[in-house]
Amino acid sequence: MNSDVQIAGDPLAIPHLLPPVPAHPATVAGFVGLARAIAADRDSWAPLVRYDATTRWYHRLRTGPGYEVWLLSWVPGQGSGRHDHGRSSGVLTVLEGELTEHRAEGLRTLSPGAQRVFAPGYVHEVVNDALTPAVSLHIYFPGLTEMPMHSARCAPSAQEAQAAQETVAP
């Protein structure tokens, strides 16, 4: 008895045997994967980046059915203000530099490759507390139609937190 099994022909040439490839992401994991793929393709986004000392720069990189991809740059000191994203969920990915996410629970430093996934109602503030510019990628689904601002600050800036620690008596 021959134990060698051979397949005649190319099974990849028979489309009905392969699972369908989704045209666009349909899950949170799919959008996270899309953000990672775009981040890895530096040649597609890096030439587009601009820095503006007076306001955050942003550029809609692409759209798909029900979602948008935005590229943002942040010079030192620039921030988003405390906000949520209306009815949109999203994925924030840091491409270059470092950003600080301020939430009621405290601060989180986001370095290149860091991702934050959020649902509608997620309130935060993103700030470039570093001394060098930063670039981030944002995917919103559905596409961003509103960004309600909130009046109170989420948490102190990194500099404020450090200054507070330095002024506390031992």
Side-chain angles (χ1 to χ4, degrees):
M1 177 177 215
N2 187 350
S3 62
D4 292 333
V5 176
Q6 295 183 348
I7 298 174
D10 180 3
L12 298 179
I14 307 170
H16 70 277
L17 295 178
L18 301 173
V21 176
H24 300 284
T27 64
V28 171
F31 283 105
V32 167
L34 174 62
R36 286 184 181 149
I38 293 170
D41 187 10
R42 183 178 172 75
D43 291 341
S44 72
W45 57 263
L48 302 172
V49 175
R50 302 291 178 263
Y51 297 98
D52 187 327
T54 59
T55 186
R56 281 183 303 131
W57 173 88
Y58 52 91
H59 171 75
R60 187 166 51 195
L61 196 57
R62 70 169 74 161
T63 60
Y67 72 91
E68 297 176 325
V69 180
W70 291 86
L71 187 63
L72 281 75
S73 71
W74 314 70
V75 299
Q78 286 181 337
S80 65
R82 185 175 185 228
H83 67 281
D84 67 59
H85 304 92
R87 63 187 191 96
S88 299
S89 295
V91 178
L92 167 122
T93 304
V94 177
L95 303 176
E96 289 182 350
E98 184 175 279
L99 295 171
T100 305
E101 182 184 36
H102 300 255
R103 299 218 41 228
E105 298 81 10
L107 304 175
R108 177 173 291 186
T109 300
L110 305 172
S111 300
Q115 292 187 297
R116 296 293 290 153
V117 176
F118 52 87
Y122 182 79
V123 178
H124 69 160
E125 177 178 11
V126 179
V127 179
N128 182 352
D129 284 328
L131 298 176
T132 58
V135 179
S136 58
L137 182 79
H138 304 248
I139 300 178
Y140 300 107
F141 49 98
L144 194 62
T145 58
E146 60 180 320
M147 195 172 109
M149 301 304 289
H150 297 260
S151 59
R153 190 162 189 166
C154 293
S157 70
Q159 288 90 354
E160 291 167 341
Q162 183 176 355
Q165 287 178 336
E166 292 171 356
T167 59
V168 174

